[in-house]
PDB file of all heavy atoms in Angstrom:
ATOM      1  N   ASN A   2      -8.896  30.174   5.773  1.00  0.00           N
ATOM      2  CA  ASN A   2      -7.694  30.863   5.311  1.00  0.00           C
ATOM      3  C   ASN A   2      -7.128  30.124   4.111  1.00  0.00           C
ATOM      4  O   ASN A   2      -6.940  28.912   4.130  1.00  0.00           O
ATOM      5  CB  ASN A   2      -6.641  30.911   6.424  1.00  0.00           C
ATOM      6  CG  ASN A   2      -7.086  31.779   7.574  1.00  0.00           C
ATOM      7  OD1 ASN A   2      -7.729  32.804   7.368  1.00  0.00           O
ATOM      8  ND2 ASN A   2      -6.750  31.368   8.795  1.00  0.00           N
ATOM      9  N   VAL A   3      -6.858  30.851   3.053  1.00  0.00           N
ATOM     10  CA  VAL A   3      -6.271  30.240   1.863  1.00  0.00           C
ATOM     11  C   VAL A   3      -4.908  30.846   1.632  1.00  0.00           C
ATOM     12  O   VAL A   3      -4.631  31.968   2.029  1.00  0.00           O
ATOM     13  CB  VAL A   3      -7.162  30.480   0.624  1.00  0.00           C
ATOM     14  CG1 VAL A   3      -8.467  29.753   0.771  1.00  0.00           C
ATOM     15  CG2 VAL A   3      -7.409  31.948   0.387  1.00  0.00           C
ATOM     16  N   PRO A   4      -3.997  30.111   1.010  1.00  0.00           N
ATOM     17  CA  PRO A   4      -2.666  30.654   0.740  1.00  0.00           C
ATOM     18  C   PRO A   4      -2.746  31.886  -0.136  1.00  0.00           C
ATOM     19  O   PRO A   4      -3.691  32.081  -0.886  1.00  0.00           O
ATOM     20  CB  PRO A   4      -1.976  29.488   0.002  1.00  0.00           C
ATOM     21  CG  PRO A   4      -2.741  28.264   0.392  1.00  0.00           C
ATOM     22  CD  PRO A   4      -4.151  28.719   0.591  1.00  0.00           C
ATOM     23  N   ASN A   5      -1.727  32.716  -0.037  1.00  0.00           N
ATOM     24  CA  ASN A   5      -1.708  33.950  -0.819  1.00  0.00           C
ATOM     25  C   ASN A   5      -1.542  33.675  -2.307  1.00  0.00           C
ATOM     26  O   ASN A   5      -1.894  34.496  -3.125  1.00  0.00           O
ATOM     27  CB  ASN A   5      -0.589  34.867  -0.328  1.00  0.00           C
ATOM     28  CG  ASN A   5      -0.893  35.432   1.042  1.00  0.00           C
ATOM     29  OD1 ASN A   5      -2.048  35.626   1.375  1.00  0.00           O
ATOM     30  ND2 ASN A   5       0.149  35.680   1.819  1.00  0.00           N
ATOM     31  N   SER A   6      -0.983  32.516  -2.644  1.00  0.00           N
ATOM     32  CA  SER A   6      -0.734  32.234  -4.051  1.00  0.00           C
ATOM     33  C   SER A   6      -0.898  30.744  -4.311  1.00  0.00           C
ATOM     34  O   SER A   6      -0.178  29.925  -3.748  1.00  0.00           O
ATOM     35  CB  SER A   6       0.687  32.663  -4.428  1.00  0.00           C
ATOM     36  OG  SER A   6       0.950  32.358  -5.767  1.00  0.00           O
ATOM     37  N   GLU A   7      -1.872  30.380  -5.170  1.00  0.00           N
ATOM     38  CA  GLU A   7      -2.073  28.998  -5.557  1.00  0.00           C
ATOM     39  C   GLU A   7      -2.952  28.965  -6.795  1.00  0.00           C
ATOM     40  O   GLU A   7      -3.463  29.986  -7.236  1.00  0.00           O
ATOM     41  CB  GLU A   7      -2.696  28.179  -4.422  1.00  0.00           C
ATOM     42  CG  GLU A   7      -4.036  28.684  -3.947  1.00  0.00           C
ATOM     43  CD  GLU A   7      -4.574  27.850  -2.786  1.00  0.00           C
ATOM     44  OE1 GLU A   7      -4.319  26.629  -2.745  1.00  0.00           O
ATOM     45  OE2 GLU A   7      -5.223  28.428  -1.914  1.00  0.00           O
ATOM     46  N   SER A   8      -3.126  27.772  -7.363  1.00  0.00           N
ATOM     47  CA  SER A   8      -3.965  27.655  -8.543  1.00  0.00           C
ATOM     48  C   SER A   8      -5.430  27.805  -8.158  1.00  0.00           C
ATOM     49  O   SER A   8      -5.824  27.532  -7.024  1.00  0.00           O
ATOM     50  CB  SER A   8      -3.742  26.300  -9.220  1.00  0.00           C
ATOM     51  OG  SER A   8      -4.329  25.262  -8.459  1.00  0.00           O
ATOM     52  N   PHE A   9      -6.239  28.212  -9.145  1.00  0.00           N
ATOM     53  CA  PHE A   9      -7.674  28.338  -8.881  1.00  0.00           C
ATOM     54  C   PHE A   9      -8.274  27.004  -8.470  1.00  0.00           C
ATOM     55  O   PHE A   9      -9.049  26.926  -7.499  1.00  0.00           O
ATOM     56  CB  PHE A   9      -8.406  28.865 -10.117  1.00  0.00           C
ATOM     57  CG  PHE A   9      -9.897  28.762  -9.988  1.00  0.00           C
ATOM     58  CD1 PHE A   9     -10.617  29.701  -9.265  1.00  0.00           C
ATOM     59  CD2 PHE A   9     -10.588  27.698 -10.561  1.00  0.00           C
ATOM     60  CE1 PHE A   9     -11.987  29.590  -9.105  1.00  0.00           C
ATOM     61  CE2 PHE A   9     -11.965  27.577 -10.418  1.00  0.00           C
ATOM     62  CZ  PHE A   9     -12.662  28.528  -9.682  1.00  0.00           C
TER      63      PHE A   9
END
Side-chain angles (χ1 to χ4, degrees):
N2 293 323
V3 294
N5 290 329
S6 178
E7 59 182 327
S8 73
F9 169 80

